[in-house]
Amino acid sequence: MIRKNLRIGLVGATGMVGETFIQLLNEEKVSVQELRPFASEKSLGQSITYENKQWPIQILKPDCFKGLDLVFFSSGDPISKEWAPEAEKSGAYAIDNSAAFRMSDNHLLVTPEVNGHLLAENPQPQVIANPNCSTIQLVVALNPLKKFGLKKVHVATYQAVSGGGKEAQNELTSQMKNLSENKKIQAPQDFPHQILFNCIPEIGGFDEQGFCSEEMKIINETKKILQLPKLQISAFTVRVPVLNGHSEAVWAEFEKDVTREDVLAAFREQEGLKVIDNPKNHAYPHVVEASGKNPVYVGRVHKDLNLPNTWIFWVVADNIRKGAALNGLQIAAKLF
Ligand SMILES: NC(=O)c1ccc[n+]([C@@H]2O[C@H](COP(=O)([O-])OP(=O)(O)OC[C@H]3O[C@@H](n4cnc5c(N)ncnc54)[C@H](OP(=O)(O)O)[C@@H]3O)[C@@H](O)[C@H]2O)c1
């Protein structure tokens, strides 16, 4: 983890990702010289407690990043677009959780266990993009399979409501509460339909070809991070009534004919990836176990009956930890 005593800014400190970021700093006992939390005007007057000190919430304004070494952004695309370059101009590294810079040719998109070496090759303060939560766990599982000649990937996701932020998570819990109190389930606000007892095949807006933006993020970001521009990859994303933790069913086709032992051995060698694979004893990854933990988990590894050299597996991770805050901290750890 980060060893230097840094001056850290945290934009979106009161959100799901921001709060998890503070929790991770606590768990890793990271000492800071300064913590400068930012949120919207409605949070002014609140403060963040860290290392027995109160750090008052501030709002974004000119020169607000002065003196900081590192600024984490988790307040959505428009805020990152406007303010992350300001952090860079003031001499800080900006690690951005939004989609604003991910596909830019001028910015790194980093999952440290996969392409962290790029950070050492580009050591000056800059805006570094954190990939989409569903992409991060997918690339950690796909990276060790590149040596088999990874040709084609199909992924279907089962994504938790926490991926939509605090308000989205509250929508599921308040629908549950109303149901348990025999009240009418309130109309959806963050989701297009009731999320309780439902699966919604829509995450982000749709394009002309019928893909929603979450699917296109997975497709484009995976190719960029794995440096496989010709990878044939398709994604179908679904929001499910799970509080926290994303799951993915993956079909991966290789050039090479390999055994199950080859695939398992490759997974076991990958940093950040844990194999749980004994399905007959009900041992495979699932979100109840994975939520609140740091690794990406993989299991249910088996060969497709019809598709040549195609392997099927199940990938699970905590979307706020490895999918956002932890990945950002790991980037920082490589920088400092
Ligand atoms: N949740 C996930 O699993 C996940 C995973 C990967 C990436 N991300 C990305 O991370 C970002 C944040 O997600 P989240 O889940 O943490 O959302 P969230 O729970 O809704 O939190 C949003 C944060 O942004 C702050 N904010 C809003 N307006 C602001 C402003 N004008 N100036 C400064 N801060 C402002 C909010 O402050 P107030 O409390 O004052 O409103 C809050 O701290 C998004 O870009 C999201 O796509 C999320």
Side-chain angles (χ1 to χ4, degrees):
M1 231 354 114
I2 305 172
R3 281 182 298 273
K4 282 191 188 160
N5 230 2
L6 298 178
R7 292 159 298 178
I8 300 179
L10 180 56
V11 181
T14 52
M16 298 225 73
V17 175
E19 284 178 356
T20 305
F21 184 83
I22 299 289
Q23 201 177 323
L24 285 164
L25 286 183
N26 254 314
E27 285 172 20
E28 300 291 336
K29 298 191 174 43
V30 175
S31 267
V32 297
Q33 216 181 113
E34 182 188 347
L35 185 68
R36 208 178 292 171
F38 297 92
S40 75
E41 280 189 19
K42 86 168 199 254
S43 299
L44 274 178
Q46 294 179 32
S47 55
I48 302 289
T49 308
Y50 188 68
E51 291 192 304
N52 297 322
K53 266 195 190 160
Q54 301 290 315
W55 305 94
I57 301 274
Q58 308 191 16
I59 53 166
L60 296 164
K61 53 177 190 262
D63 293 331
C64 64
F65 303 123
K66 215 170 170 188
L68 294 175
D69 302 301
L70 182 66
V71 185
F72 287 86
F73 284 84
S74 57
S75 290
D77 295 9
I79 289 173
S80 291
K81 221 171 250 176
E82 182 178 352
W83 291 97
E86 296 301 317
E88 182 184 347
K89 269 188 224 154
S90 77
Y93 285 92
I95 299 179
D96 180 31
N97 266 300
S98 84
F101 300 95
R102 289 179 188 152
M103 291 313 298
S104 144
D105 289 340
N106 301 323
H107 293 88
L108 300 179
L109 178 65
V110 178
T111 302
E113 306 89 325
V114 178
N115 62 348
H117 59 277
L118 296 177
L119 296 167
E121 292 163 19
N122 299 270
Q124 69 287 357
Q126 61 192 287
V127 180
I128 298 160
N130 223 22
N132 172 268
C133 43
S134 314
T135 308
I136 291 179
Q137 64 186 74
L138 181 64
V139 295
V140 172
L142 292 179
N143 187 51
L145 308 177
K146 275 173 77 175
K147 65 180 177 194
F148 302 139
L150 187 60
K151 221 166 93 173
K152 203 183 273 182
V153 173
H154 287 160
V155 55
T157 71
Y158 307 74
Q159 299 187 212
V161 290
S162 62
K166 253 189 190 170
E167 297 290 323
Q169 199 179 50
N170 290 343
E171 190 158 317
L172 175 60
T173 50
S174 58
Q175 286 178 353
M176 277 160 38
K177 185 166 177 288
N178 276 18
L179 183 87
S180 68
E181 292 169 354
N182 283 326
K183 291 186 189 151
K184 190 169 177 279
I185 294 178
Q186 58 277 57
Q189 286 187 346
D190 265 63
F191 299 110
H193 303 281
Q194 175 186 309
I195 184 66
L196 183 66
F197 301 142
N198 207 359
C199 295
I200 303 176
E202 174 181 356
I203 305 181
F206 284 101
D207 67 17
E208 292 308 310
Q209 299 171 97
F211 286 90
C212 57
S213 59
E214 185 82 354
E215 291 160 352
M216 292 313 298
K217 285 177 191 172
I218 295 174
I219 291 169
N220 294 327
E221 293 174 21
T222 300
K223 291 196 228 180
K224 179 170 174 178
I225 298 165
L226 293 179
Q227 292 182 297
L228 292 176
K230 293 195 178 134
L231 181 70
Q232 297 172 51
I233 172 166
S234 191
F236 194 104
T237 57
V238 182
R239 188 73 73 190
V240 294
V242 160
L243 278 179
N244 188 43
H246 290 351
S247 307
E248 298 178 343
V250 184
W251 279 253
E253 183 184 333
F254 311 141
E255 305 277 358
K256 286 190 185 161
D257 186 10
V258 295
T259 65
R260 186 177 126 84
E261 264 322 304
D262 293 332
V263 178
L264 288 172
F267 281 146
R268 287 196 186 103
E269 279 165 18
Q270 172 63 47
E271 185 192 341
L273 187 64
K274 279 209 162 158
V275 178
I276 305 177
D277 191 282
N278 190 351
K280 288 189 178 154
N281 287 332
H282 317 290
Y284 35 72
H286 58 88
V287 287
V288 170
E289 286 285 325
S291 176
K293 308 229 171 76
N294 290 344
V296 174
Y297 297 90
V298 66
R300 290 234 30 221
V301 179
H302 56 295
K303 197 171 186 186
D304 194 277
L305 291 178
N306 299 299
L307 302 168
N309 299 343
T310 299
W311 288 82
I312 307 170
F313 44 89
W314 180 244
V315 181
V316 177
D318 184 318
N319 49 292
I320 304 182
R321 282 183 171 244
K322 185 54 190 162
L326 175 67
N327 197 75
L329 261 180
Q330 290 169 328
I331 292 175
K334 289 240 176 226
L335 295 170
F336 297 97

